[in-house]
């Protein structure tokens, strides 16, 4: 049976990827940080087949121990401090985890398999945030990177380090440049989930309104379940490479709001949304729209969930979740 190690197992993508790999018959290990990670129970309930090993991307010896324990054929590096807004106030730790953590993962792999650089196939979770102040529309694998946040800069470092280790040592190291992808498992700090949770609560009379920042930013939003399939496909290729993964459509936060409120039957929502400058950013990424032609033609990958369906499934999930909370509260 093939074996895989996933860092970032407690996150949105870690859970979807673990489900996918378990369904394909993999033995799956998850690298989880902390002596008492509050998400351990979630992982154990959602993907009970996963073997958890403790470790931290800032600690190379712990990654090496995880590789020795799991003996993987594939290592998916999904671990990161992933919240862009947080990265300005916490630039150093973001650089350590999201940037240097990739170097640690690559070096641990070299120590684990010094004579066979291709023994473990490596996936790096690169990001459309690297395009930042976009230099072409749409963005492809060839677009010049112009990151606009400490998070984006750290991702650029990890991206080029992955390419460098592939070229220097012949490692099977691929980088997926993933555009925003969402789901009911998305953290509530990100704008989509923040909106769908709030819309659900407003519709049930549990909340009066929602405070947001810039509603005009545009993102290329897909479904996380589709995107982990692309990660897996990259590692099944004979040659490692870099791929943009996107829906090739862009929508504003305002459009997301419009669809989310209409899902619960609220057409006039303007009085329910207030502007809070604390949710704006020192430098904004105004427009992201990908071109995933390369992935579609070479990996045979395509998104299966369109934008209205994505918004709808997230709102429906949050309405049900909030209803359960209401019932429990009596
Ligand atoms: P997420 O839900 O925020 O998950 C991040 C994961 O990283 C969590 O499991 C977290 O563990 C772990 N982590 C944080 N610090 C760590 C450390 N020092 N050592 C080891 N693990 C650590 O992110 P996601 O949405 O699943 O995204 C997965 C990856 O794809 C990330 O690298 C993200 O930057 C990248 N990405 C995401 C998107 C997107 O739209 N979702 C797009 C492009 C790229 P804890 O639970 O312990 O905090
Ligand atoms: O949902 P967001 O926080 O995601 P962002 O910054 O695009 O980053 C996500 O996608 C990246 C891929 O491009 C990943 F690499 C990264 O790890 C993460 O998953 O913000 C989206 C947009 C921004 O323009 C932000 O200014 O929403 C705008 N926004 C407006 N009001 C808000 C809010 N964002 C948040 N989080 N909260 C608000 O109240």
């Amino acid at each position: 049976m093939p074996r895989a190690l996933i860092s970032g197992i407690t996150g949105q993508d870690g859970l979807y990827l673990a489900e996918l790999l378990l369904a394909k018959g993999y033995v799956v290990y998850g690298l989880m940080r902390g002596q008492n990670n509050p998400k351990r129970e979630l992982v154990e309930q959602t993907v009970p087949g996963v073997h958890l090993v403790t470790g931290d991307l800032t600690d190379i010896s712990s990654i090496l121990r995880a590789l020795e324990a799991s003996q993987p054929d594939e290592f998916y590096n999904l671990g990161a401090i992933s919240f862009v807004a947080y990265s300005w106030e916490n630039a150093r730790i973001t650089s350590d985890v999201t940037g240097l953590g990739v170097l640690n993962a690559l070096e641990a792999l070299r120590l684990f398999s010094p004579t066979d650089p291709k023994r473990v196939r490596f996936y790096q979770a690169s990001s459309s945030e690297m395009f930042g102040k976009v230099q072409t529309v749409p963005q492809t694998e060839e677009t010049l990177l112009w990151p606009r946040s400490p998070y984006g800069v750290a991702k650029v470092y990890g991206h080029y380090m992955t390419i460098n280790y592939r070229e220097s040592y012949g490692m099977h190291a691929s980088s997926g440049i993933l555009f925003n992808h969402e789901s009911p498992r998305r953290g509530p700090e990100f704008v989509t989930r923040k909106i769908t949770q709030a819309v659900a609560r407003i519709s049930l009379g549990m909340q009066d309104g929602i405070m947001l920042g810039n509603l005009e930013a545009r993102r290329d939003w897909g479904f996380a379940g589709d995107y982990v399939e692309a990660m897996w496909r990259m590692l099944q290729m004979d040659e490692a490479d870099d791929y943009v993964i996107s829906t090739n459509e862009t929508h504003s936060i305002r459009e997301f709001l419009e669809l989310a409120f209409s899902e619960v039957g609220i057409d006039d929502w303007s009085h329910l949304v207030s502007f809070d400058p604390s949710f704006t950013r020192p430098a904004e990424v105004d427009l992201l729209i990908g071109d995933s032609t390369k992935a579609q033609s070479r990996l045979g990958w395509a998104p299966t969930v369109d934008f209205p369906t994505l918004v709808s499934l997230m709102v429906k999930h949050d309405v049900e979740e909030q209803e359960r909370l209401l019932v429990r509260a009596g």
Side-chain angles (χ1 to χ4, degrees), residues 56-329:
D56 194 301
L57 286 168
T58 59
D59 179 351
I60 187 171
S61 63
S62 74
I63 307 173
L64 188 54
R65 276 194 297 277
L67 288 167
E68 278 160 0
S70 56
Q71 297 287 320
D73 303 298
E74 297 170 8
F75 177 8
Y76 295 86
N77 185 35
L78 310 186
I81 290 182
S82 76
F83 188 33
V84 173
Y86 177 89
S87 76
W88 276 279
E89 298 295 328
N90 303 275
R92 175 57 199 256
I93 186 70
T94 304
S95 304
D96 285 348
V97 177
T98 306
L100 286 168
V102 185
L103 176 63
N104 284 342
L106 290 162
E107 273 298 302
L109 273 177
R110 285 209 322 128
L111 290 167
F112 176 64
S113 182
T115 54
D116 180 4
K118 292 196 188 335
R119 172 170 166 198
V120 183
R121 295 184 172 195
F122 180 75
Y123 172 83
Q124 170 54 22
S126 288
S127 165
S128 54
E129 184 69 15
M130 300 190 304
F131 295 123
K133 187 176 171 188
V134 299
Q135 300 297 298
T136 67
V137 178
Q139 294 86 53
T140 71
E141 293 80 4
E142 309 306 323
T143 300
L144 181 71
L145 305 180
W146 196 302
R148 294 270 278 173
S149 62
Y151 168 83
V153 173
K155 280 288 179 189
V156 171
Y157 175 86
H159 181 67
Y160 280 123
M161 210 40 107
T162 302
I163 294 170
N164 184 259
Y165 271 54
R166 180 169 77 219
E167 293 179 352
S168 301
Y169 305 116
M171 289 173 69
H172 193 293
S174 293
S175 187
I177 307 172
L178 270 53
F179 282 64
N180 298 51
H181 46 281
E182 318 293 313
S183 75
R185 291 179 181 155
R186 186 59 143 154
E189 66 274 33
F190 299 96
V191 77
T192 56
R193 189 78 197 288
K194 179 175 172 181
I195 291 172
T196 60
Q197 274 189 344
V199 164
R201 290 174 63 82
I202 291 166
S203 74
L204 295 168
M206 298 163 74
Q207 187 172 320
D208 293 334
I210 176 171
M211 314 277 269
L212 291 167
N214 176 16
L215 303 189
E216 311 312 328
R218 301 182 74 85
R219 291 289 181 273
D220 179 332
W221 279 297
F223 172 58
D226 285 342
Y227 285 44
V228 299
E229 167 80 26
M231 297 174 190
W232 176 77
R233 286 186 184 224
M234 281 177 222
L235 296 208
Q236 310 318 304
M237 301 296 283
D238 288 340
E239 299 295 326
D241 207 340
D242 309 316
Y243 297 91
V244 159
I245 302 298
S246 60
T247 69
N248 309 345
E249 271 185 33
T250 191
H251 299 277
S252 64
I253 319 294
R254 191 178 290 283
E255 288 171 66
F256 194 103
L257 277 165
E258 182 78 36
L259 285 181
F261 275 112
S262 84
E263 185 68 33
V264 294
I266 299 175
D267 294 327
D268 179 12
W269 48 269
S270 53
H271 60 293
L272 299 170
V273 177
S274 320
F275 174 68
D276 182 339
S278 71
F279 292 116
T280 59
R281 298 173 179 187
E284 179 62 281
V285 172
D286 295 315
L287 166 68
L288 289 176
I289 176 166
D291 175 352
S292 53
T293 303
K294 179 177 171 183
Q296 304 214 16
S297 62
R298 297 203 194 161
L299 303 177
W301 174 87
T304 67
V305 177
D306 66 11
F307 181 63
T309 310
L310 176 67
V311 180
S312 168
L313 72 85
M314 288 179 71
V315 172
K316 283 197 176 102
H317 170 275
D318 279 331
V319 169
E320 283 169 21
E321 188 171 88
Q322 294 301 322
E323 278 172 346
R324 277 197 299 277
L325 289 177
L326 262 183
V327 170
R328 232 178 279 156

